[in-house]
Amino acid sequence: MGYQDDPDAQRPSTPSSPSPSTPGPSRNQSSPNPGPNDPDNQAPWSNDVDSLDYVGSDYYPGYSPRQTTADGSHIGLQEYKGWLANNRTKGWWQALEKQYGSQFVAFMWHGYVTGMDSAKLWNEVGVRFPGYENYISSGGGGGGGGGYGGGGGVSRAEQIASAAAAIKDQAMTLGLDIDDGGILALAKRAVDENWSSAQLTDELLIDPTKLNKPGTYSQTIDYIKQLGKSQLINVSDDTAAQWAQRIVSNEMSIDTVRSVLAQQAQGEWGWATEGLKTGATMSDLLAPARDQIAAELELTPGSVDLMDERFRKMVQTTDAQGTARAATLTEVTQAARKDSQWANTAGAARRAASVATMIRKVFEGN
């Protein structure tokens, strides 16, 4: 079958491979030679299929029907196709095949067929394809398990590619400004030092000034400040940033922040303790009073900021014993009408007209 007749065949868009090395004894001399339409016959044929340099066909780099496994079993073309198709789903493989072409594929197949030790294989890759690590940061792959080094028979290149993909994803999620070079350098460290996921996160958060893109870090800061505002407590930018850094690194939960703010609110608004224990916020408890202020001053409720001392003193009063308590709605109304802005409202004008009419009737007897 020719390449044009084989739907599974893929021609890599790579430069032509060099001619095979000097022929030598084959691994399986009893295997048949390729037929006239075999894709292997499209490139200069070599018996030396055991050579590290053997490429053979650009259609199936490194494959030959003469090849056998270490135990002498013949290797069929379908096995090769399955191996190649599986590897071509990996981002790091795609990047290296694109850069180094058929020579890379053929060499990796040789390593697979001969059962080459992983360390030896990747040392050889480093010699044959200098700078290969510079291309794997663009490869895909998942984030891996507890650590980024060792274990499972996974090669260092695969570990680095996996770590690089995880770093890129997490950097985007956090809003970290980091280029491909920085990602690759960090991935190599993660693999060489066998970082856990937590260690990687800590490293990405080491300089918060670089977390300047939209992401979970900035969103968490905003949310913390909103939680503070809901309890009528000002949370500084520095405090919000520190808490956000601990939250995104899983050292603190957002529930802890809620608890801290609720306790502070109880200290500030002692009379509201029971309400706060139910899970309500100070904004919830004072919403009716805020709406009353807004109505009297003819403002939108959202513009009445109870963190402003001007409005804050309208919603709380002191009883005869000097104990602070929530103001009643009548007291809130009276306090709002003492505000300078109330004099400019339509309600104040109507009230003034009503009083003037009443006075006139008293004096005129009508």
Side-chain angles (χ1 to χ4, degrees):
M1 181 191 306
Y3 169 75
Q4 65 274 14
D5 299 318
D6 187 349
D8 292 329
Q10 300 180 42
R11 180 190 293 271
S13 55
T14 54
S16 299
S17 304
S19 300
S21 57
T22 305
S26 69
R27 194 181 269 264
N28 186 353
Q29 296 287 356
S30 62
S31 299
N33 288 322
N37 294 320
D38 192 296
D40 285 338
N41 231 9
Q42 305 302 314
W45 177 251
S46 168
N47 287 328
D48 193 10
V49 296
D50 287 339
S51 168
L52 295 179
D53 298 308
Y54 174 71
V55 175
S57 166
D58 279 350
Y59 304 129
Y60 304 130
Y63 175 76
S64 168
R66 297 172 180 268
Q67 290 168 331
T68 61
T69 61
D71 63 3
S73 301
H74 177 252
I75 301 175
L77 182 58
Q78 289 306 313
E79 180 179 349
Y80 176 93
K81 288 182 180 180
W83 170 85
L84 184 58
N86 177 63
N87 280 301
R88 280 177 170 167
T89 65
K90 302 171 184 177
W92 64 267
W93 179 283
Q94 294 167 13
L96 294 180
E97 182 177 356
K98 179 179 179 181
Q99 180 64 26
Y100 298 110
S102 297
Q103 288 178 296
F104 170 77
V105 177
F107 178 77
M108 296 302 285
W109 171 248
H110 176 87
Y112 171 78
V113 170
T114 60
M116 188 182 296
D117 175 75
S118 178
K120 179 181 178 181
L121 184 144
W122 286 100
N123 284 336
E124 243 346 281
V125 168
V127 172
R128 291 169 176 275
F129 311 106
Y132 77 93
E133 292 178 335
N134 295 327
Y135 300 99
I136 63 176
S137 66
S138 61
Y148 291 96
V154 179
S155 70
R156 183 172 184 270
E158 289 177 299
Q159 294 169 30
I160 293 174
S162 179
I167 291 168
K168 187 171 185 177
D169 288 345
Q170 191 169 359
M172 291 179 64
T173 299
L174 291 172
L176 176 65
D177 188 6
I178 183 171
D179 58 22
D180 287 344
I183 290 174
L184 181 58
L186 207 55
K188 290 178 180 178
R189 284 187 58 199
V191 170
D192 292 341
E193 298 173 22
N194 195 23
W195 287 352
S196 66
S197 296
Q199 287 175 301
L200 173 59
T201 300
D202 289 342
E203 187 68 24
L204 294 176
L205 294 171
I206 199 167
D207 185 359
T209 62
K210 293 183 179 179
L211 297 164
N212 50 20
K213 293 184 176 181
T216 54
Y217 177 73
S218 61
Q219 291 168 358
T220 303
I221 289 176
D222 292 342
Y223 186 54
I224 289 172
K225 294 181 76 67
Q226 289 173 9
L227 288 178
K229 188 173 182 179
S230 72
Q231 296 288 21
L232 308 186
I233 294 171
N234 179 54
V235 179
S236 70
D237 291 342
D238 286 345
T239 296
Q242 291 172 12
W243 284 349
Q245 188 170 357
R246 294 176 64 188
I247 288 170
V248 297
S249 63
N250 294 317
E251 296 175 15
M252 175 189 282
S253 73
I254 196 67
D255 288 336
T256 300
V257 173
R258 287 194 185 94
S259 178
V260 168
L261 294 173
Q263 290 176 8
Q264 291 182 336
Q266 290 175 31
E268 177 72 16
W269 310 83
W271 53 265
T273 297
E274 293 305 314
L276 291 170
K277 287 181 178 178
T278 68
T281 66
M282 287 306 303
S283 292
D284 296 330
L285 298 175
L286 293 174
R290 179 204 62 189
D291 293 345
Q292 187 65 25
I293 294 171
E296 289 298 321
L297 299 181
E298 299 176 2
L299 300 171
T300 61
S303 65
V304 178
D305 184 2
L306 294 180
M307 295 182 69
D308 187 333
E309 186 62 28
R310 172 192 172 195
F311 300 118
R312 197 182 186 99
K313 65 184 181 182
M314 298 181 189
V315 300
Q316 182 173 264
T317 190
T318 304
D319 61 19
Q321 288 73 39
T323 302
R325 62 171 176 80
T328 66
L329 290 182
T330 298
E331 290 169 334
V332 169
T333 299
Q334 292 171 346
R337 288 178 178 177
K338 292 177 183 178
D339 188 85
S340 60
Q341 186 171 342
W342 184 76
N344 299 319
T345 64
R350 287 192 300 271
R351 184 175 177 81
S354 176
V355 170
T357 298
M358 181 183 67
I359 293 174
R360 186 174 67 251
K361 287 181 178 180
V362 169
F363 283 98
E364 294 178 358
N366 296 325

